[in-house]
Structures are given as C-alpha cells and as structure tokens.
Amino acid sequence: MITPDSPRRALRSVLAVLVLLLTGALLAVPTASARPQSAPAAVPPATLTEVTGFGANPSNLQMYVYAPAGVTAHPAVLVAVHWCGGSGPAMHSGTEYAQLADRYGFLIVYPSVTRSSRCFDVSSPQALRRDGGSDPVGIKSMIDWVSAAYATDPARVFATGISSGAMMTNVLLGDYPDVFAAGAAFAGVPFGCFATTDGSEWNSACSGGTVNRTPQQWGDLVRGAYPGYTGPRPRMQVWHGTEDDVLRYPNFGEEIEQWTAVRGIGQTPAATDSPQTGWTRTRYGSTGDRAPVEAISLQGVGHNLYAWGMADRVLTFFGLDAGGDPGPGPQPAGSCKVTVSTSAWNTGLTASVTLTNTGTAAVNGWRLGFTLPAGQTVTNGWGATYTPASGTVTATNASYNGTVAPNASVTLGYQASHTGDSRAPSSFSLNGAACTVS
C-alpha cells in the first residue's frame, strides 16, 4: 500500500545508493601524484616521422625518427647528424642508414637545425659543456624520448655525422660520455676546436687547420665538458680527405690526438692497413674492428668524402651489424707459433723471426712481444717497427704485412749489438697472448 511517506523512503534509498557509488568511485581514483606517466607513442613503422614536444629544446631543433618495421626488442639508437645547409630529412634520404636499420632493427634519430645557417652549434660555451644549453641539450632530449617510447638499450646509443654533423658528433661524445658508446665523424674537427665567445658560428683558425694542441690539451677540453666524470669514454671513428678545403686535413690528426688521449692510449697505431685503394686506416689501442680509436684517411679526396658503402663500415665499428669481429682482444693462447734463429759475431748479431698464425681467424694487425737477453740492443730492423730497443721489445707490423691469415706466416728480423750474450730472444706473445716456440 502506498502511503504519504513512501516517496520520501524511496528517495532516501536512492540517495543512499548514490552515496555508496560515489564513495567507491572516489576511493578507486588514484591521486594525481600516483597516476602513472604514460610512455610516448611509437612512430609509424618504416616512415620518417617528425616528433614534436619531445622535451627540453633550447635551440628549437626539429626531431625526426625512423623506426624500421622489424625494430628489435630494446633496440640500439643511432643519432645521424646532418651537414651545414642540410636537414634531418636530407640526412635520411642522402645516406643508407635507414636501409641498414631495416636490416638490423635499430632506431634512427635525425636532428634538424632551424636557424638560418642550418649549421649545428659547436662553438658556443653553452654547447661545449654538459647540459649547458643549445643543440646538445635538444639532441639529448630526443634520445630520452625514443628511450621512453621503445625501451631502448642504454648501452647502445651511437652518433654519426657529416661536416657540421661530424663536429657535433665530437661535441656529443664530449658532453655526454655516459650516453654514447661510440661515434663516427666524417670530415669534422676536434671537440672545442671551433669554440668562439663572440657569438660567431665560424672559427677560421680551426677550419684552416692551424689550431694545434698537444694530446693532453685536447683531452683536457673533452674532460672539462663534464667535470668529475670518471666513467668509461666512447670509442671514436674519424674520416677525412687529404684535400679537404673546408675543414683542412690537419684537423684529422688533431682528432686522433684528442680521442687517443681521452681513451688513455698512445698515438702509435696498433694496426695500419688499406681496406680500399687510396685509403689508409689506422687503429689505436687494439687491432680489432672495434678498436678504441679508428681513423680512415682518404688520399686525394675533398670535403664531400661521404659515399654509399661507408655506413656499413660505421656499423661494423659500432657493432650494429651481424658481421665483423667480436671486438678488440688478443688471440687465444696457443694460436701463434714462432721460429727464431740468430747469427752472431764479436759484438753483433742478426735475428730472423717467423710468426705463424695457428688460429682459425685472420690476425688483422699484430704486435709481437719478446724479451732480449741482457746486453742486447736492436740497432735496426725490417718487417716491423721495434720499441724499445732493449729489454722487453714489441715488434709492430709494417703497413704491408698487418694481416696474417690462418696457417699463414710473416717473417721479420733485426740487427742487434751485444756484450757477450748472443742468444735468441724468449717469451714471445702475439697481441698479448703467449706463442709456442719451435
């Protein structure tokens, strides 16, 4: 039976239900501070895509990303930096990195300058220190963006560039040694060489190849970009043409001095070869495809040295391809054999040494260590360079005999003075691994 109080009871019931529902809803909604931050959305596959709002970007760079259709889990990242007057899309279409990304599954970030010169800032004090501002900060934001979008591998972030992009590659590796594993610079200059304090983007002394510093001084410039950093430093590959009339060829040698000093290795090559006619390749710190520093000089080539096919060599140096050797390191113990003989007279002797590669892989660049008996001093030699002249000596391959195939041999020799002990040397090692002596 409906009474006058029935509508009020029904209303109270409805209100009670609404209060319960509202209370539950409020309890179910997290607070703003607890709300998870969503990762950026991935870009369309196999399509060069501009990304906006990617983070701190003090110099208004544009960001373009290329993600292959078959991007790998936790992919590597390659930052590909264009030349003066270029752009991100021009770097994409003018190089083969995108095709290689399709093959190997890594991501590519193409920074693009919007200032009128279309040159990257490698000159200002802001650009030459970590998080100081300008272009490097914007590029670091781009790396952070793809890292969040794709859960990239932080140990495999690389940079490469041409001309202005090569100079920026040097700058990025100096500013962010904890971000980049390696770089490859085509026709660039050392970190800090282009520095100016008047706002100018151009440094004529540097471009003309007249800025000459010691390896220690060059290294200090890099170390000063991130004071207090004591972690590992990136590997560096540099390319330069001997007839470069824009960024003169002496800059090539200065880059080598800088990055060998940064890596704490000597300026004497561990290996020298000619992978292509007119090219001279030197490796420092080790002899493998992933040496700490690798330098390729192109005889008779001008500033526009980049050509298709070179990117494959960059990926081998980075370790992003499926080929190449597994990186620097000595041959396994027992993978070399040495035969040695001496012929002596009153105060002198000659020695002939045959080194045989008994391993299953070619030796690309060799250093044969051995110990001379007391009183012996090398006075001249052939087939190798010998340092020091006495005691524990290292014979480093000549330019023509640096590669020794499996089961192949190379013969070298030297003349030495002695004070009575004319015995053959002992304790032979190939690239740090002991050899058998027969």
Side-chain angles (χ1 to χ4, degrees), residues 64 95 119 151 253 280 376:
Y64 294 87
T95 61
C119 297
T280 300
Q376 289 190 17

Side-chain angles (χ1 to χ4, degrees), residues 129-200:
R129 67 175 185 271
R130 179 185 178 84
D131 296 336
S134 196
D135 296 346
V137 168
I139 295 172
K140 173 61 165 55
S141 295
M142 298 177 194
I143 296 168
D144 292 341
W145 188 95
V146 295
S147 175
Y150 290 90
T152 59
D153 184 349
R156 295 191 301 148
V157 179
F158 305 91
T160 187
I162 302 169
S163 189
S164 177
M167 293 192 279
M168 177 51 71
T169 297
N170 278 268
V171 169
L172 289 172
L173 268 61
D175 284 356
Y176 296 102
D178 54 331
V179 173
F180 293 94
F186 289 84
V189 303
F191 177 100
C193 184
F194 240 61
T196 60
T197 55
D198 59 0
S200 172

Side-chain angles (χ1 to χ4, degrees), residues 6 43 57 69 82 85-86 119 128 158 164 166 192 293 300 310 335 399 403 413:
S6 295
V43 301
N57 184 22
H82 68 74
C119 297
L128 295 175
F158 305 91
S164 177
V293 177
M310 292 178 177
S335 64
S399 59
T403 299

Side-chain angles (χ1 to χ4, degrees), residues 14-66:
V14 170
L15 288 174
V17 170
L18 288 175
V19 168
L20 287 172
L21 290 174
L22 182 58
T23 301
L26 289 172
L27 290 173
V29 175
T31 64
S33 61
R35 185 176 292 118
Q37 192 71 29
S38 60
V43 301
T47 304
L48 183 67
T49 304
E50 183 176 5
V51 174
T52 59
F54 49 84
N57 184 22
S59 54
N60 196 32
L61 296 177
Q62 291 175 291
M63 174 186 179
Y64 294 87
V65 175
Y66 182 81

